[in-house]
Amino acid sequence: MKIDKNFIVFSIAFGMIFFSFSAVQLYFVVEFNKTSNVDVAFTSMLLIYLFAAIFSPVSAYIVSKFNPKKGIIMSGIVYLLFCGVLVTKNETVIYIVSALLGIASSILWTSCGTYILSITAQNYYGRALGIFNTVFSLMCILGMLSLGTLLSYYNFKISYLLILIPGIAGFFMLFLINDLKISKGLNFKEGLKNFFNPKFMLFLPLYVAQGFLFSLTIGIIPIEIKDIFSEIFVGIFGMLFYLIPLFSAYGVGKISDRIGRPALFITFYILIGVAMLIMLNKENFIFGIVVFAIAFSFTRVLLIAYVGDLCKGKNLETTNALFNTALNLGVVLGFLIFMFIEDKNLIYTISFFVTILSLLGFVAEKKFKS
């Protein structure tokens, strides 16, 4: 596979924005939990992913009209703005920017998936996404380490403002990538038809589960790690979800190109279900997190590539928007549960069933084929 220079620049620029954002997101709940404002953090996260879910269908039209590059640049501004306003700890401002970030997120990820799939040959989707996830993971790890170090020397405000610098640099790098026009304006009726394609609907639970599991990594798990160990371990365990893809993303992507994404999804989701059961016993909590981190990290490599498989390189905007909607709804579901259920073991039990039941789409597809 020949690696395009434009693809590398895009991956680095995108990763640098998340150098800042992923670090802020990881410590967000923990920092607000210190001052008994954890509900503000959970409400903020809920607003982000709720608005992302609501606006994901519209994002397909926006991306097709303005093209992915402009969509990513416009969204990047809001991501950096969110990181900056957190230092105010002003609830109203945080909630408003959280809603804006949700809208920006829907555009960003639809643009990202469309951009990568449009410049990559279909038989190399897995490998391309492997490279992208490797760079992305490296940037996120460096961001988390940097913010963790900054928080040990400086206060919350200074640390959060300093961590913005790499993100701003990444934002300006986005102007260097090629400007692609994917399609000539999406017809609304055609887009709606693609959005509700029955073939795609079978696999929506797979992506809802992915979003739900992601909410664990930025919601309940960081708090539980802090309570069981200490704040410094939040960054250490949080990095696992990015450290693993750093060394495995390309390999997993390459294997998925050869044997197919469904077999890997089934294997890794079963492992995630097992991890949820292990985490019910606090004596085995660390082992459970490690198993969860490995399996969950592997599935992240498959997400965008499988979208490309399902739509066979056509209607990229609407298909990416559909599955991003499902992902965001999963995160919303997760944070709603966190706000109303305090028993963490019950949350892990629910996570087990959400994960395993999401695999029924593969069973249904097999029955339809036969």
Side-chain angles (χ1 to χ4, degrees):
M1 174 186 172
K2 186 179 178 181
I3 302 174
D4 183 63
K5 181 182 176 182
N6 178 63
F7 178 74
I8 296 298
V9 173
F10 168 72
S11 299
I12 293 172
F14 194 92
M16 286 178 72
I17 291 175
F18 277 82
F19 178 106
S20 301
F21 181 75
S22 63
V24 167
Q25 184 174 239
L26 179 67
Y27 283 94
F28 179 29
V29 175
V30 174
E31 287 298 320
F32 275 68
N33 191 43
K34 288 179 181 177
T35 54
S36 301
N37 284 328
V38 70
D39 283 344
V40 174
F42 280 158
T43 303
S44 170
M45 291 293 179
L46 183 62
L47 284 170
I48 291 170
Y49 292 100
L50 178 61
F51 274 81
I54 292 170
F55 281 87
S56 281
V58 182
S59 70
Y61 173 77
I62 294 172
V63 173
S64 68
K65 187 171 180 64
F66 295 101
N67 78 50
K69 177 181 175 179
K70 289 177 183 174
I72 294 167
I73 289 173
M74 289 188 296
S75 305
I77 295 171
V78 185
Y79 269 76
L80 297 175
L81 177 64
F82 175 79
C83 296
V85 300
L86 288 181
V87 301
T88 67
K89 290 200 173 182
N90 183 304
E91 290 184 30
T92 304
V93 174
I94 289 173
Y95 291 157
I96 291 171
V97 178
S98 295
L100 290 174
L101 179 60
I103 298 170
S105 172
S106 68
I107 297 170
L108 181 86
W109 287 105
T110 298
S111 298
C112 176
T114 303
Y115 194 88
I116 293 173
L117 295 176
S118 67
I119 62 174
T120 307
Q122 191 172 347
N123 56 326
Y124 289 117
Y125 281 164
R127 275 163 274 201
L129 268 300
I131 294 170
F132 174 79
N133 276 279
T134 299
V135 176
F136 182 83
S137 298
L138 176 62
M139 293 300 175
C140 290
I141 289 169
L142 293 175
M144 291 172 188
L145 281 172
S146 299
L147 184 55
T149 304
L150 287 170
L151 286 168
S152 65
Y153 287 99
Y154 304 105
N155 62 30
F156 171 79
K157 288 185 178 180
I158 294 175
S159 299
Y160 268 48
L161 290 174
L162 287 175
I163 205 68
L164 269 172
I165 296 172
I168 294 170
F171 170 76
F172 284 107
M173 277 185 68
L174 288 173
F175 289 91
L176 301 176
I177 66 174
N178 293 342
D179 200 359
L180 302 178
K181 184 69 177 177
I182 304 303
S183 61
K184 295 181 179 179
L186 190 68
N187 178 280
F188 181 75
K189 287 185 178 179
E190 182 187 348
L192 204 61
K193 184 180 177 182
N194 294 333
F195 201 80
F196 292 102
N197 188 321
K199 182 179 75 172
F200 299 157
M201 291 292 178
L202 287 175
F203 300 102
L204 288 187
L206 200 69
Y207 285 71
V208 171
Q210 185 75 199
F212 185 86
L213 293 167
F214 175 71
S215 71
L216 291 178
T217 69
I218 59 173
I220 291 300
I221 289 178
I223 292 176
E224 188 147 31
I225 289 171
K226 177 181 174 292
D227 291 342
I228 296 174
F229 305 103
S230 66
E231 185 176 337
I232 193 171
F233 285 94
V234 173
I236 293 172
F237 283 104
M239 281 193 302
L240 272 178
F241 293 91
Y242 298 95
L243 189 62
I244 293 165
L246 180 63
F247 297 104
S248 63
Y250 183 76
V252 172
K254 190 174 182 179
I255 292 170
S256 74
D257 283 336
R258 291 178 178 174
I259 69 173
R261 256 67 75 173
L264 295 183
F265 263 125
I266 292 168
T267 302
F268 298 145
Y269 268 43
I270 290 173
L271 274 176
I272 290 171
V274 171
M276 293 299 113
L277 297 179
I278 293 172
M279 288 163 66
L280 293 174
N281 185 341
K282 298 310 169 193
E283 292 182 1
N284 299 320
F285 189 74
I286 295 177
F287 179 61
I289 286 182
V290 172
V291 174
F292 174 43
I294 291 171
F296 182 71
S297 299
F298 287 173
T299 62
R300 303 290 287 181
V301 181
L302 309 174
L303 293 174
I304 296 177
Y306 195 51
V307 170
D309 293 342
L310 289 172
C311 70
K312 300 188 185 303
K314 299 177 181 178
N315 304 313
L316 292 171
E317 300 95 337
T318 48
T319 313
N320 273 292
L322 171 64
F323 287 100
N324 284 334
T325 300
L327 271 167
N328 291 317
L329 285 174
V331 181
V332 170
L333 175 63
F335 278 102
L336 281 173
I337 288 174
F338 302 160
M339 292 174 75
F340 292 103
I341 298 178
E342 294 184 4
D343 186 342
K344 294 182 177 63
N345 278 355
L346 179 56
I347 291 173
Y348 295 139
T349 303
I350 293 170
S351 303
F352 168 80
F353 285 106
V354 168
T355 304
I356 299 303
L357 291 176
S358 71
L359 295 173
L360 291 175
F362 292 113
V363 178
E365 183 195 34
K366 199 170 183 181
K367 282 194 172 184
F368 286 144
K369 283 183 177 179
S370 60

